[in-house]
Amino acid sequence: MAVNSPLPVAEDLKPVHGIEIGFAEACIKKPDRKDVLVMKLAPTATVSGVFTKNRFCAAPVQVSKANLAAASSGGEKIVALLVNTGNANAGTGDSGLADAQATCAALAKLLDCHPQQILPFSTGVILEPLPVAKVVAGLPDAVANLQLDNWYNAAEAIMTTDTQPKAASRTVTIGGHTVTMTGISKGAGMIKPNMATMLGYLAFDAKVAQPVLDQLVRHAADHSFNCITIDGDTSTNDSFMLIATGAGSLVIDSAGTPEYEALKEAVTDISRNLAQQIIRDGEGATKFITITVEEGASVEECRKIAYSIAHSPLVKTAFFASDPNLGRILAAIGYAGVDDLDVTKLDMYLDDVWVAKNGGRNPDYQEADGQRVMKQSEITVRVKLARGDATATVWTCDLSHDYVTINADYRS
Amino acid sequence: MAVNSPLPVAEDLKPVHGIEIGFAEACIKKPDRKDVLVMKLAPTATVSGVFTKNRFCAAPVQVSKANLAAASSGGEKIVALLVNTGNANAGTGDSGLADAQATCAALAKLLDCHPQQILPFSTGVILEPLPVAKVVAGLPDAVANLQLDNWYNAAEAIMTTDTQPKAASRTVTIGGHTVTMTGISKGAGMIKPNMATMLGYLAFDAKVAQPVLDQLVRHAADHSFNCITIDGDTSTNDSFMLIATGAGSLVIDSAGTPEYEALKEAVTDISRNLAQQIIRDGEGATKFITITVEEGASVEECRKIAYSIAHSPLVKTAFFASDPNLGRILAAIGYAGVDDLDVTKLDMYLDDVWVAKNGGRNPDYQEADGQRVMKQSEITVRVKLARGDATATVWTCDLSHDYVTINADYRS
């Protein structure tokens, strides 16, 4: 189903020393599916994360933020991450917070640590109470099967409306040290992350100081998960967690070194891959669209225009139909909110086809050329603003009948 | 097809003295449909209008704005409005401007006036050159059948993907004077007006001074067309024109009088009716949704939240499915961009059903009650922010399979 996104191969997902993974089938929403995930960290590990900016951020997000802040500022280290699908535990008020803490307490007891050393995560339906007893009942199974080589199962355990698991692995050599990194993510609707997306987890086996890891996770998120959108709906549960297990030989104590730059590049690359897998498996997606806005006065205005195009239902349905009704893209640029935009200097390309020139139809543009590109499953829209040097790229998908079908039927 | 919106009855649309209407079938995009409209004004008439804020505003919008500004500031009076469907003449650069002016010149010749005394309007596909010759060829027919009693034909002549014409009439008595008002509008996609919508025309037979009319049209637009959205796509061609023909006995020279207030109320009421007809006939609409946000710190933040709900594809598909998956509404409130929103004080209602209380699920809320309301064809979402006294209302519709079908097929 996903657009040019082959199914991950379990054998290609490399174990990362310093992180063990266990899962369970806890029947949270449906039977016979993995819906509880535990990731247990070595004592050498550091963890950093970015979370949704949605004001209705979920109870587990609030608890994870607090526990992570305590650990990052010298408190007891994080011991494990706990994820459940089937229920978001968002819009659940004070009882939702107590529920999230109850699941942490139950796992802490099994792992012989304090509840504050657990980071909880949830995904699923909003405004419904978390079935705490079911989550807790699944924990002994998940802890019993903790092992290094469980990433494929982990990717499956965090799926909701995803049609396939999302994962990626890399081995890079930095300063003579081999670093192994593996990550997983999930979508597939309510996707317009603002800080990070629900859910991405990326681990590698270097040892990284906390402030450096904090800087790294923000950079990686800003250049990957924070550049994707399916439907413009920023979830209540978005979280992207970066874990440096410290089990390998590479040690990074400060940013700005060549080793840090190499690690940053590798982490950002794999993050982008995980983020793009979410778009390729977006609800109902039939096309993968890259929108690049160039020559802007600021990155912010480039992103504004790129998101305006990416969120337009008219643009998205035209992509679905392979219809080069490209004036809809100009309209979306025009209402993006860049109030002093001089459209008479604006150019637009569809892949190699020059469609709009100085704000009007390029006299050399032929509809057959636009039609040819629109039929592809991968399309790049390039907009040149002639206002400056800034650039931004956003990845999105089309809007199809299946999106409506899936979301008119999600809870049944 | 439209949601609880009966077809206008031609006999109920009252002629407004001082404005004559003619139409033609000019085969601009398709044969056998009215696609050119001329509205000729009495010398006593004043005209005011609001136009799209889309930076890619169409060539006819640019010409109309310039001609209207000249007339309003003491130049020669506006003699006629000219509308074509089938082509938006937007994203067409300098040649588009010349095309719009050419149609004005042709009509001016037939009406024995200057081209600057014509206001041109277009609606249809963007980024394609206006077939000027076809428009011009239709003008003699349109001028030949100019008559007072042609409003139903006018409503039909401005339709694009609308499934039915939109029109309304009122007779009000103000200060002992009878005022007759009739208006028409069209949608049905690319609807999130920012100033006004493509296209609304409202005429009445009082005599109103230009600055007063300018004030009146802004008030009416802000409380009607500027409160609706179908898909969040602000068109390049939005225009709402208010015409005071001056043919009746009521004369209004200044705002702030009881007569002005009565006229304002009547004009706003009929504008709201015309705007809501657009939503009821929104592309693929099966439900009419009213979103009211109360107790905000400012009208602006109330509107932000209302539009965030109204534009969420997840909320719109849930309405289509009659699925009380109401956590999606909370998520949309949370990412609306009101950064200091305290969700623990927020309440939400669906018609009479109290769904969310202090940011969580109301303990007394029963899903059966939510289900009952979601099945209705008219639904009100009410959000209380507990931050102040401001209120805003937005009208929208659901997102159905037919929206995708219509917009994946619009040009064929």
Side-chain angles (χ1 to χ4, degrees):
Chain A
M1 298 279 286
V3 182
N4 305 329
S5 189
L7 205 64
V9 176
E11 292 68 29
D12 293 346
L13 299 176
K14 299 174 178 65
V16 178
H17 285 279
I19 180 165
E20 291 178 299
I21 294 165
F23 62 89
E25 297 184 354
C27 298
I28 293 174
K29 192 170 133 199
K30 289 182 183 168
D32 303 322
R33 57 188 292 171
K34 305 177 184 83
D35 50 13
V36 166
L37 174 70
V38 172
M39 290 185 270
K40 183 166 176 266
L41 310 182
T44 48
T46 44
V47 185
S48 193
V50 285
F51 299 92
T52 182
K53 282 190 173 168
N54 193 309
R55 294 297 303 161
F56 264 104
C57 79
V61 169
Q62 296 175 51
V63 174
S64 278
K65 280 168 88 166
N67 291 356
L68 196 56
S72 304
S73 56
E76 290 182 294
K77 302 211 78 168
I78 298 302
V79 168
L81 287 69
L82 166 59
V83 190
N84 74 270
T85 66
N87 183 296
N89 194 6
T92 46
D94 288 341
S95 61
L97 280 172
D99 288 347
Q101 275 152 346
T103 62
C104 291
L107 182 58
K109 202 169 171 190
L110 293 172
L111 298 180
D112 197 20
C113 66
H114 293 117
Q116 303 90 285
Q117 294 178 281
I118 308 294
L119 302 180
F121 303 86
S122 299
T123 178
V125 180
I126 300 167
L127 203 63
E128 293 188 2
L130 183 72
V132 177
K134 288 184 180 177
V135 176
V136 169
L139 292 177
D141 262 8
V143 169
N145 67 30
L146 279 167
Q147 58 184 76
L148 283 171
D149 199 5
N150 239 345
W151 282 99
Y152 191 88
N153 286 316
E156 286 190 327
I158 63 173
M159 288 169 62
T160 52
T161 55
D162 307 70
T163 70
Q164 62 180 50
K166 295 159 187 67
S169 265
R170 299 272 190 287
T171 303
V172 290
T173 304
I174 297 175
H177 303 276
T178 299
V179 179
T180 301
M181 44 182 75
T182 298
I184 56 175
S185 63
K186 58 85 59 184
M190 202 174 272
I191 296 293
K192 195 257 168 169
N194 182 3
M195 277 319 284
T197 191
M198 177 68 185
L199 298 167
Y201 301 94
L202 175 57
F204 57 91
D205 56 3
K207 187 171 175 64
V208 180
Q210 187 71 44
V212 181
L213 195 67
D214 293 347
Q215 183 175 334
L216 182 57
V217 73
R218 279 193 300 274
H219 179 90
D222 282 346
H223 292 80
S224 58
F225 295 104
N226 284 357
C227 301
I228 63 173
T229 185
I230 290 173
D231 47 17
D233 278 293
T234 301
S235 156
T236 48
N237 293 50
D238 291 343
S239 309
F240 172 53
M241 305 303 298
L242 191 59
I243 300 159
T245 68
S249 54
L250 179 67
V251 177
I252 293 187
D253 286 325
S254 66
T257 61
E259 287 77 14
Y260 173 78
E261 289 300 319
L263 183 67
K264 186 175 85 173
E265 195 178 317
V267 165
T268 303
D269 179 66
I270 196 167
S271 299
R272 198 179 287 130
N273 178 296
L274 290 168
Q276 291 185 356
Q277 287 189 51
I278 289 176
I279 297 303
R280 292 178 186 284
D281 193 25
E283 286 173 341
T286 73
K287 293 188 181 167
F288 180 83
I289 316 291
T290 302
I291 300 165
T292 298
V293 178
E294 301 172 358
E295 300 180 2
S298 68
V299 171
E300 193 199 355
E301 73 176 28
C302 293
R303 283 173 65 86
K304 236 185 200 179
I305 288 173
Y307 275 120
S308 188
I309 298 169
H311 290 152
S312 160
L314 292 173
V315 171
K316 292 171 99 76
T317 47
F319 278 121
F320 171 54
S322 302
D323 177 7
N325 193 340
L326 303 172
R328 292 176 176 180
I329 298 178
L330 296 190
I333 295 168
Y335 68 69
V338 179
D339 292 337
D340 60 349
L341 182 67
D342 179 359
V343 301
T344 66
K345 292 182 178 163
L346 184 144
D347 291 349
M348 182 182 62
Y349 298 78
L350 203 65
D351 276 18
D352 57 320
V353 178
W354 193 352
V355 177
K357 187 175 177 175
N358 296 330
R361 187 183 175 112
N362 175 10
D364 296 332
Y365 169 66
Q366 300 289 330
E367 174 130 345
D369 295 327
Q371 182 68 73
R372 168 176 57 78
V373 178
M374 288 299 274
K375 282 184 177 164
Q376 299 167 187
S377 59
E378 310 249 338
I379 299 168
T380 297
V381 176
R382 193 154 66 95
V383 178
K384 295 172 74 171
L385 303 179
R387 287 163 62 88
D389 296 327
T391 294
T393 294
V394 162
W395 297 284
T396 192
C397 57
D398 55 337
L399 171 59
S400 71
H401 282 295
D402 281 353
Y403 180 90
V404 177
T405 301
I406 292 164
N407 284 301
D409 196 37
Y410 171 38
R411 299 200 314 168
S412 60
Chain B
M1 297 277 287
V3 183
N4 304 330
S5 189
L7 204 64
V9 177
E11 291 69 28
D12 293 346
L13 299 177
K14 301 174 177 64
V16 178
H17 286 279
I19 181 165
E20 290 178 300
I21 294 166
F23 62 90
E25 296 184 355
C27 297
I28 292 174
K29 191 171 136 200
K30 290 182 182 168
D32 303 323
R33 57 188 291 171
K34 306 177 184 83
D35 51 12
V36 166
L37 173 70
V38 172
M39 288 184 272
K40 183 165 176 266
L41 310 182
T44 47
T46 44
V47 186
S48 191
V50 285
F51 299 92
T52 182
K53 281 190 173 168
N54 193 309
R55 295 296 303 161
F56 264 103
C57 78
V61 169
Q62 295 174 52
V63 174
S64 278
K65 280 167 88 166
N67 291 357
L68 196 55
S72 303
S73 56
E76 290 182 294
K77 303 211 80 168
I78 299 301
V79 168
L81 287 68
L82 166 59
V83 191
N84 75 270
T85 67
N87 184 295
N89 194 8
T92 45
D94 287 341
S95 62
L97 280 172
D99 288 348
Q101 275 151 347
T103 62
C104 291
L107 182 58
K109 201 170 170 189
L110 293 172
L111 297 181
D112 197 20
C113 65
H114 294 117
Q116 303 91 284
Q117 295 177 282
I118 308 293
L119 302 181
F121 304 86
S122 298
T123 178
V125 181
I126 300 167
L127 203 63
E128 293 188 2
L130 183 73
V132 176
K134 287 184 179 176
V135 177
V136 170
L139 293 177
D141 262 8
V143 170
N145 66 31
L146 279 167
Q147 58 185 76
L148 281 172
D149 199 5
N150 238 343
W151 282 100
Y152 192 88
N153 286 316
E156 285 190 328
I158 62 173
M159 288 168 64
T160 53
T161 55
D162 307 70
T163 69
Q164 63 180 47
K166 295 158 187 67
S169 264
R170 299 271 189 288
T171 303
V172 289
T173 304
I174 298 176
H177 302 276
T178 299
V179 179
T180 301
M181 43 182 74
T182 298
I184 57 174
S185 63
K186 59 85 60 185
M190 201 174 273
I191 296 294
K192 194 253 167 173
N194 182 3
M195 279 318 286
T197 192
M198 178 67 184
L199 298 167
Y201 301 94
L202 176 56
F204 57 90
D205 55 3
K207 187 171 177 64
V208 180
Q210 187 70 44
V212 180
L213 195 68
D214 293 346
Q215 182 176 333
L216 182 57
V217 73
R218 279 194 300 274
H219 178 90
D222 283 346
H223 292 79
S224 59
F225 295 104
N226 284 357
C227 301
I228 63 173
T229 185
I230 290 173
D231 47 17
D233 278 293
T234 301
S235 157
T236 49
N237 292 51
D238 290 343
S239 309
F240 171 54
M241 306 303 298
L242 191 59
I243 301 158
T245 67
S249 54
L250 179 67
V251 177
I252 293 187
D253 286 324
S254 66
T257 61
E259 288 77 13
Y260 173 78
E261 289 301 318
L263 182 66
K264 186 175 84 171
E265 194 179 318
V267 165
T268 303
D269 179 66
I270 197 168
S271 299
R272 196 179 288 129
N273 179 295
L274 291 168
Q276 291 185 356
Q277 287 189 50
I278 289 176
I279 296 303
R280 293 179 186 282
D281 193 25
E283 286 173 341
T286 73
K287 293 186 182 170
F288 179 83
I289 317 291
T290 301
I291 300 165
T292 298
V293 179
E294 301 173 357
E295 300 181 3
S298 67
V299 170
E300 193 199 356
E301 72 175 29
C302 293
R303 283 174 64 87
K304 238 185 198 178
I305 288 174
Y307 275 119
S308 188
I309 298 169
H311 291 151
S312 161
L314 292 173
V315 171
K316 293 170 97 76
T317 47
F319 278 121
F320 171 55
S322 302
D323 177 6
N325 193 342
L326 303 172
R328 292 176 175 179
I329 297 178
L330 296 190
I333 295 167
Y335 68 69
V338 179
D339 291 337
D340 61 348
L341 182 67
D342 179 358
V343 301
T344 66
K345 293 182 178 161
L346 184 145
D347 291 349
M348 181 182 64
Y349 298 78
L350 203 65
D351 276 17
D352 57 320
V353 178
W354 192 352
V355 177
K357 185 174 177 176
N358 296 329
R361 187 185 176 111
N362 175 10
D364 296 332
Y365 170 66
Q366 300 290 329
E367 174 130 345
D369 295 328
Q371 181 69 73
R372 167 175 58 78
V373 178
M374 287 299 273
K375 282 185 177 163
Q376 299 167 184
S377 59
E378 310 249 339
I379 298 168
T380 297
V381 176
R382 192 155 66 96
V383 178
K384 295 173 73 171
L385 303 179
R387 287 162 62 87
D389 297 326
T391 294
T393 294
V394 162
W395 296 283
T396 192
C397 57
D398 55 338
L399 171 59
S400 71
H401 282 294
D402 281 353
Y403 180 89
V404 178
T405 301
I406 292 163
N407 284 301
D409 195 39
Y410 172 37
R411 297 200 316 167
S412 61

